[in-house]
């Protein structure tokens, strides 16, 4: 078995499966290494002249900043960004989906809600419109967590407070306001909640009553809202919240799982702590799982706009319509302007951990990350936290920071999350279960209690990418039916809610 992975016939670099010392000759590649090459890092397979493109995945990941000889280590010291013309080829590779006949489609056991949507969990959520109501919301949730009252209601997964840092000191209109309001709207209507309570302070920018009116929300037996100021202060607001939820508990507990088609699943695909193996194992395996879900009538939400930069042409080529392709490019242009006015470059990625894991440029990282999107046509492009209405693969605009991105995906309707990682990630996301996928076996063995599936078995020869994707799809169905993820068993998910803050804080 070769020590170097050559991903595409056009590539002039390969990826080392394990750390290799200088001076060793790899007979299978007829290559003598001129330097120590860390595991997951790149090695030149042929001479690469200064200024020439460096190719991986059959795509440009950067340019040689100096002449590179065969056997040399290729990384940040000799591979840099440069001007790159992309072939956007609108809709060229948009192949119609080969759907599984309805009678043969997979099913899972979920909670069918009154509005027709299906949940994979049954939580009660406490939404805070402003940071000032966070203490009250947490006190209410902690009461039910530690009082033992929930033991009487076995069909309820928990009471969770969703607190954040914003909601005031912002404009009362415009992009930032609308983004936050959409987030609240998406959570208030999310099918993983059997009941929701919204708590504000009273004088904040994000007025509770205005949010309800703009989102078409109204008080019911399983939704209520109030402010601390109107009820008489902190202690009374906590007592009111506890009593209100006590009345709600029996109603939420009546929910029962029932068989529903896999078409009711909306899968958020996400990566964090990526390494060079992420784009070879975990991400493409997740892409295969997503393709299977789409063929069964479901939905996949792909996000993290800064981390498709350099690979966006692969998505425009798969857009169902030219309008969708152009809509995606509009978001890329927005990000170029957004980062410029904030003193950033989109190539501020990869992170230090990514680079240790063998990733060199944002182009390389994006090309590996886009494998999560699978191969089906792109049927929709959405703003952050905008309700997803199309089935199939859709793209939702978001930052690359995982908690912020997943917050938007959940607000858009995701009821399961699959999260790939190469370096290791500590992450969960109530009210939605998060399945973690390791890109390499070393990580899986080191963090077995945190990771659900080892995609490193693909490199170890234990199974194929297709088999790994099928394994992930089976796990998605099982988790959607109630099987706990490793993150849930460890208690993750209470702290990751993090709405995207756009605009000045004043």
């Amino acid at each position: 078995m070769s020590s170097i992975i050559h991903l595409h016939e056009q590539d002039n670099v390969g990826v080392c499966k394990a750390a290799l010392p200088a001076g060793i000759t790899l007979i299978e590649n007829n290559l003598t290494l001129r330097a120590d090459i860390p595991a997951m890092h790149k090695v030149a397979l042929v001479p690469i002249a200064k200024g020439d493109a460096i190719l991986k995945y059959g795509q440009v990941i950067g340019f040689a900043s100096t002449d590179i000889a065969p056997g040399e280590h290729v990384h940040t010291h000799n591979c840099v960004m440069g001007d790159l013309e992309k072939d956007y080829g609108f809709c060229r590779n948009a192949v119609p989906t080969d759907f599984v006949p309805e009678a043969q489609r997979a099913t899972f056991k979920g909670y069918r809600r009154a509005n027709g949507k299906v949940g994979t969990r049954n939580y009660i959520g406490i939404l805070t419109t402003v940071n000032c109501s966070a203490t009250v919301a947490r006190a209410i949730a902690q009461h039910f967590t530690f009082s033992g009252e929930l033991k009487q209601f076995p069909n309820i997964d928990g009471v969770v407070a969703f607190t954040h840092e914003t909601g005031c000191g912002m404009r009362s209109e415009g992009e930032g306001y609308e983004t936050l309001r959409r987030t609240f709207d998406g959570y208030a209507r999310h099918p993983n909640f059997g009941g929701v309570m919204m708590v504000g302070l009273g004088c904040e920018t994000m007025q509770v009553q205005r949010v309800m009116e703009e989102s078409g929300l109204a008080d019911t037996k399983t939704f209520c809202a109030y402010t601390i100021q109107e009820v008489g202060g902190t202690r009374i607001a906590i007592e009111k919240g506890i009593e209100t939820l006590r009345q709600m508990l029996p109603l939420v507990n009546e929910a029962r799982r029932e068989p529903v088609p896999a078409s009711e699943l909306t899968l958020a695909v996400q990566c964090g702590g990526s390494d060079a193996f992420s784009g070879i194992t975990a991400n493409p395996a997740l892409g295969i799982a997503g393709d299977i879900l789409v063929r069964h009538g479901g939905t996949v939400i792909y996000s993290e706009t800064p981390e498709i930069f350099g690979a966006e042409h692969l998505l425009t080529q798969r857009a169902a319509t030219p309008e969708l392709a152009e809509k995606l490019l509009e978001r890329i242009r927005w990000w170029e302007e957004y980062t410029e006015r904030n003193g950033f470059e989109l190539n501020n990625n990869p992170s230090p951990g990514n680079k240790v894991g063998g990733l060199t440029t944002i182009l390389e990282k994006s090309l590996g990350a886009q494998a999560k999107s699978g191969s089906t046509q792109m049927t929709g492009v959405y703003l952050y936290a905008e309700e997803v209405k199309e089935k199939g693969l859709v793209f939702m605009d978001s930052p690359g920071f995982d908690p912020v991105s997943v917050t938007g995906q959940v607000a858009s309707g995701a009821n399961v999350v699959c999260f790939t990682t190469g370096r290791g990630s500590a992450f969960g996301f109530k009210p939605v279960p998060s399945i973690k996928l390791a890109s390499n076996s070393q990580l899986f063995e080191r963090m077995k209690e945190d990771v659900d599936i080892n995609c490193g078995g693909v490199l170890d020869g234990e199974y194929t990418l297709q088999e790994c994707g099928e394994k992930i799809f089976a796990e998605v169905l099982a988790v959607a039916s109630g099987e706990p993820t490793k993150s849930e068993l460890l208690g993750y998910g209470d702290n990751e809610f993090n709405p995207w803050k756009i605009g000045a804080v004043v």
Side-chain angles (χ1 to χ4, degrees), residues 231-272:
V231 301
T234 299
R235 181 185 60 79
I236 297 174
I238 293 170
E239 291 176 352
K240 175 180 175 61
I242 291 171
E243 185 55 36
T244 299
L245 293 194
R246 278 182 180 146
Q247 302 300 315
M248 203 180 287
L249 288 171
L251 296 172
V252 177
N253 193 61
E254 289 176 2
R256 297 291 186 275
R257 291 187 181 273
E258 60 182 79
V260 292
S263 57
E264 298 292 350
L265 287 175
T266 299
L267 176 66
V269 295
Q270 193 76 198
C271 60

Side-chain angles (χ1 to χ4, degrees), residues 11-12 53 117 134 199 239 267 270 309 341 394 396 401:
D11 291 355
N12 51 17
K117 294 182 179 180
V199 182
E239 291 176 352
L267 176 66
Q270 193 76 198
F309 180 71
R341 68 176 180 261
V394 304
M396 186 209 74
F401 184 42

Side-chain angles (χ1 to χ4, degrees), residues 384-421:
Y384 183 88
E386 188 178 5
E387 182 183 3
V388 169
K389 296 180 179 179
E390 280 90 4
K391 296 287 187 178
L393 171 70
V394 304
F395 187 85
M396 186 209 74
D397 182 33
S398 82
F401 184 42
D402 308 318
V404 177
S405 183
V406 178
T407 296
Q409 290 175 313
V410 170
S412 286
N415 51 13
V416 179
V417 175
C418 274
F419 191 111
T420 70
T421 183

Side-chain angles (χ1 to χ4, degrees), residues 182-195:
R182 282 198 306 270
T183 304
F184 293 148
D185 187 11
Y187 272 72
R189 300 177 189 279
H190 199 280
N192 279 19
F193 290 126

Side-chain angles (χ1 to χ4, degrees), residues 48-372:
I48 307 172
K50 180 179 179 180
D52 281 358
I54 296 174
L55 301 174
K56 182 182 174 185
Y57 304 111
Q59 302 283 334
V60 177
I61 64 166
F63 297 87
S65 59
T66 185
D67 290 341
I68 303 174
E72 280 195 38
H73 183 202
V74 177
H75 198 40
T76 53
H77 62 287
N78 55 11
C79 176
V80 297
M81 291 285 287
D83 293 332
L84 175 64
E85 289 190 14
K86 299 165 191 167
D87 178 10
Y88 291 112
F90 285 12
C91 312
R92 178 194 303 153
N93 298 323
V95 179
T97 301
D98 180 20
F99 290 107
V100 173
E102 288 198 25
Q104 300 174 26
R105 291 185 183 180
T107 62
F108 71 101
K109 291 184 178 180
Y111 296 100
R112 178 75 71 177
R113 303 301 186 185
N115 62 2
K117 294 182 179 180
V118 176
T120 60
R121 294 294 184 267
N122 191 35
Y123 281 99
I124 292 178
I126 307 172
L127 301 180
T128 54
T129 56
V130 67
N131 177 257
C132 308
S133 55
T135 297
V136 166
R138 284 201 188 101
I140 297 167
Q142 287 170 359
H143 168 84
F144 289 100
T145 300
F146 298 113
S147 68
E149 288 186 45
L150 288 180
K151 292 179 181 179
Q152 305 171 52
F153 305 99
N155 294 323
I156 298 177
D157 290 302
V159 176
V160 187
F162 294 89
T163 63
H164 54 94
E165 300 175 356
T166 185
C168 203
M170 59 188 293
R171 290 183 62 199
S172 59
E173 58 184 14
E175 201 168 34
Y177 177 89
E178 287 301 322
T179 297
L180 186 56
R181 188 198 60 78
R182 282 198 306 270
T183 304
F184 293 148
D185 187 11
Y187 272 72
R189 300 177 189 279
H190 199 280
N192 279 19
F193 290 126
V196 172
M197 182 164 67
M198 185 179 289
V199 182
L201 175 61
C203 56
E204 63 269 25
T205 302
M206 296 298 297
Q207 287 286 296
V208 168
Q209 194 59 41
R210 179 182 171 186
V211 170
M212 290 176 63
E213 291 172 358
E214 291 173 342
S215 298
L217 298 168
D219 284 344
T220 66
K221 291 182 179 180
T222 54
F223 178 87
C224 67
Y226 65 93
T227 68
I228 297 168
Q229 292 171 350
E230 71 179 341
V231 301
T234 299
R235 181 185 60 79
I236 297 174
I238 293 170
E239 291 176 352
K240 175 180 175 61
I242 291 171
E243 185 55 36
T244 299
L245 293 194
R246 278 182 180 146
Q247 302 300 315
M248 203 180 287
L249 288 171
L251 296 172
V252 177
N253 193 61
E254 289 176 2
R256 297 291 186 275
R257 291 187 181 273
E258 60 182 79
V260 292
S263 57
E264 298 292 350
L265 287 175
T266 299
L267 176 66
V269 295
Q270 193 76 198
C271 60
S274 299
D275 64 11
F277 286 166
S278 294
I280 300 172
T281 62
N283 288 343
L286 178 54
I288 289 169
D291 285 351
I292 296 171
L293 177 58
V294 170
R295 290 186 62 237
H296 283 261
T299 305
V300 175
I301 303 178
Y302 178 36
S303 298
E304 299 180 285
T305 314
E307 296 185 13
I308 68 164
F309 180 71
E312 69 270 19
H313 59 292
L314 300 180
L315 286 172
T316 59
Q317 291 172 11
R318 290 161 53 197
T321 67
E323 291 76 17
L324 283 176
E326 181 57 37
K327 193 172 182 180
L328 181 69
L329 294 183
E330 285 176 7
R331 300 319 302 162
I332 294 290
R333 290 191 289 269
W334 184 95
W335 272 94
E336 289 173 332
E337 295 169 1
Y338 177 64
T339 52
E340 182 179 1
R341 68 176 180 261
N342 284 284
F344 275 82
E345 293 181 4
L346 280 177
N347 194 34
N348 74 318
N349 264 311
S351 70
N354 296 149
K355 291 176 181 178
V356 171
L359 296 175
T360 303
T361 65
I362 187 59
L363 301 178
E364 181 180 12
K365 184 177 181 181
S366 294
L367 288 164
Q370 71 83 34
K372 301 193 305 295

